[in-house]
Amino acid sequence: MTVITCHRCGKGNRRKAKFCQHCGADFSPARQIVAATLAGVKPVSQALRPTSATRPLPPEPPAMPRPASSQPAVPSAVTQAGLLVPLERGSVLFHPQDPQQRYAILTARQLSRSIYYDALDLTCPSCGSLQPDNPPGGQCLQCGAVLRPVLIHERRPRLVRSLTDADVEKLIRLSTGHPGILPHQAVMQYQESVYTVVEHPGRWGVLVRGRRQRSPDEALAGVVQVGRTLNYLYDNGFAHSEVGGASIESLVITGGDGNIKLADLSGCVRLQPDQAQAVRAQVDSDVAFLAWLLFFLATGKELSRGGIEMAPSNLRPFIERAMQKQYASVQDMLTDFEISPVTPTKARPLKPAHGQATHPGRQHTRNEDAVVTFTFHKEQDGGAVPIGFYLVADGMGGHEAGDAASRAVNRVVTDWIIKTKVLPDLQKTTRKLSAEDVPGELLSQAIQQANNVLLERGQGKASDMGSTVTAVLVIGDVATIANVGDSRTYLLREGRLEQITQDHSLVARLVDAGVIRPEEVRSHPQRNQIYRCLGHRPDVEVDTFTRQLQAGDVLILCSDGLWEMVPDAEIQRIVAEARSPQKACDALIEAANQAGGEDNVTVIVVQME
């Protein structure tokens, strides 16, 4: 039997009902939000029609204490044999007490204990109109604005939590105040499933997928990052609580290999300061979670009681101390990381050779792009370590603000890397295991300094100065890449071109969420709208990536003036056929201008020999 699920109380009604027979809610089209799940109700325009997979709604659950949200039931996927069944593409998930919150399911990624969905927020961020379903091109049918993609995590909590509505609202607010948490929009529960809706991070991955074994440095850097997030929650009265595989599934990787974020705070618990024993138990749980994470990052395997011996010897003491409850707090565990020096691995003797070129294009007389390259060798431990630094910045702001912005980014980042961080770090024969010694952290700090300079200058001159940036720091055979905005870095390896960086643009999010195809970006009317750049916000998030290089690899850094004019396949062909990095740069500039040269174009090509 096809039913209408009430948007107020969540109970089923006959198909043609005008009012809910349980609570009296109005079922007029303007107010009724249809939840199309495996229960069998699917919106088609404004009509309700049964699907071919129609199933009866599951029986009403018994009364229970209020879970993560006290709102009426949100339709959930049917469960079979304890496994979650994903919602189908085209289904609409809704928040029953707020008609402005409804989400079109696009894709599902099923894990062993939970499901992630790429979805589209059907409320226009510009005019506020509700879309009937997933509109073409991911654009509002009323005003044409780009709709916001979201990421939804569905899970089955171990226990019924005692979070109040106020707790949930506070966690949502807290999620927007820390870079280690994806900003939350809603937390909803229906029967045995909890749905957490967060801002879509763009290109993302699940930490538990791939089970890549990381180096001790990388593993500790990831744990430090997550540990700081747990400290932030603790300082605000919450603990993460759960330990094990289910808790690891709440972590996603965004904006780079080492950028680990919490995507679901629905498993948190409120700390009770007057209950010392309970607080201590929660602290031990958070510390055990970090130990579990450290083992997983270092080995690619889940931690078992007899499996600690599989951990690298220099990490094993941390895990053992955590499991034996020897740390009084998460911070104590992070502090312990600082006192364990290791000898860095010697790099293979790869040599970077580069070319660079920039041009105002055919439509502009002023060039607001900036470019910097430098390479040198540093004697360390009896060998020569090749160092290369490369940067492309694309300024914006009108008049002379754009080129001033890009030049400022060039100077500030370069000075920070050379004088403040890189040279002192390379003089060390040993170094401590901490995030501050990771090249990605160095690049992030340098770019944040440039952001601060642009903010100060923009406020002083009352101008809207801004800039994108992509930068690469090569030390030996390891490249660390950073970016903010839509300037890109590619890696060409054995005939395959990979875009390493992620564009911080609205249309890139539509691609990542599966709304539009990658080839549609170049013709999309909102392709130039970026949501992240330098000079506009006090705390800018910098994406960082790490790649182990090999002989023959080619790195390509460029502004959008190149990739918007020249397709990736053509970029690959030109670089592969060029006789040198400089000739590749010259040919790419020519190709962009031949295609119209609608913007300034800048490119760096680095070949590892």
Side-chain angles (χ1 to χ4, degrees), residues 337-358:
F337 294 164
E338 301 291 336
I339 61 175
S340 298
V342 296
T343 302
T345 302
K346 293 184 179 181
R348 293 178 298 173
L350 291 181
K351 177 183 177 181
H354 73 271
Q356 67 182 69
T358 186

Side-chain angles (χ1 to χ4, degrees), residues 26-152:
D26 186 1
F27 283 177
S28 60
R31 298 189 60 191
Q32 173 62 29
I33 308 298
V34 180
T37 68
L38 294 181
V41 184
K42 186 173 184 178
V44 181
S45 300
Q46 294 295 326
L48 299 177
R49 303 177 185 174
T51 68
S52 59
T54 299
R55 299 179 184 176
L57 285 171
E60 291 291 326
M64 62 177 65
R66 289 201 296 185
S69 173
S70 65
Q71 307 296 350
V74 176
S76 168
V78 178
T79 60
Q80 296 177 341
L83 298 178
L84 291 170
V85 177
L87 300 175
E88 293 180 337
R89 179 181 177 88
S91 299
V92 175
L93 188 66
F94 71 98
H95 197 305
Q97 286 297 325
D98 186 355
Q100 296 297 313
Q101 295 188 49
R102 53 186 293 192
Y103 312 97
I105 302 299
L106 302 172
T107 61
R109 186 178 303 188
Q110 187 156 20
L111 307 178
S112 60
R113 302 171 180 90
S114 63
I115 303 172
Y116 279 95
Y117 301 97
D118 291 304
L120 198 63
D121 188 338
L122 295 179
T123 301
C124 176
S126 180
C127 69
S129 63
L130 288 171
Q131 314 301 303
D133 49 25
N134 183 13
Q139 294 178 262
C140 174
L141 299 177
Q142 298 294 325
C143 68
V146 174
L147 299 179
R148 291 173 297 196
V150 295
L151 187 65
I152 301 176

Side-chain angles (χ1 to χ4, degrees), residues 249-314:
E249 288 188 4
S250 70
L251 297 173
V252 299
I253 300 174
T254 71
D257 302 326
N259 201 354
I260 304 173
K261 295 189 177 185
L262 282 171
D264 191 347
L265 297 183
S266 66
C268 291
V269 295
R270 166 71 77 171
L271 293 172
Q272 303 296 333
D274 57 336
Q275 300 178 11
Q277 186 174 357
V279 171
R280 177 64 206 185
Q282 294 303 328
V283 170
D284 290 341
S285 177
D286 280 355
V287 170
F289 170 66
L290 291 182
W292 207 99
L293 176 61
L294 180 59
F295 184 88
F296 184 86
L297 293 176
T299 65
K301 302 180 184 299
E302 297 185 6
L303 178 61
S304 61
R305 290 185 177 180
I308 294 181
E309 294 301 317
M310 296 176 59
S313 58
N314 52 355

Side-chain angles (χ1 to χ4, degrees), residues 4 42 47 56 94 117 123 155 166 169 171 176 187 200 218 306 311 343 348 373 454 463 557 602:
I4 295 176
K42 186 173 184 178
F94 71 98
Y117 301 97
T123 301
R155 71 184 188 91
E169 291 174 2
L171 285 169
T176 64
V187 178
H200 201 285
E218 291 177 311
T343 302
R348 293 178 298 173
T373 59
L454 292 189
S463 65
L557 294 75
T602 299

Side-chain angles (χ1 to χ4, degrees), residues 125-263:
S126 180
C127 69
S129 63
L130 288 171
Q131 314 301 303
D133 49 25
N134 183 13
Q139 294 178 262
C140 174
L141 299 177
Q142 298 294 325
C143 68
V146 174
L147 299 179
R148 291 173 297 196
V150 295
L151 187 65
I152 301 176
H153 187 218
E154 179 186 3
R155 71 184 188 91
R156 301 182 72 178
R158 290 184 178 180
L159 299 172
V160 175
R161 298 299 180 192
S162 58
L163 292 176
T164 64
D165 290 345
D167 291 335
V168 173
E169 291 174 2
K170 183 174 182 180
L171 285 169
I172 291 175
R173 291 195 303 271
L174 291 175
S175 72
T176 64
H178 195 278
I181 308 173
L182 292 181
H184 286 39
Q185 293 186 13
V187 178
M188 306 172 286
Q189 178 157 343
Y190 179 73
Q191 295 185 352
E192 296 180 337
S193 285
V194 174
Y195 297 88
T196 301
V197 184
V198 301
E199 179 182 295
H200 201 285
R203 194 166 61 197
W204 65 281
V206 184
L207 185 66
V208 297
R209 285 285 175 90
R211 297 178 178 268
R212 182 174 70 87
Q213 183 175 348
R214 292 164 171 81
S215 69
D217 270 347
E218 291 177 311
L220 275 174
V223 172
V224 167
Q225 188 177 40
V226 176
R228 290 170 178 169
T229 305
L230 298 188
N231 272 338
Y232 168 77
L233 292 172
Y234 184 86
D235 290 342
N236 285 278
F238 291 93
H240 186 249
S241 181
E242 295 184 359
V243 181
S247 60
I248 297 296
E249 288 188 4
S250 70
L251 297 173
V252 299
I253 300 174
T254 71
D257 302 326
N259 201 354
I260 304 173
K261 295 189 177 185
L262 282 171

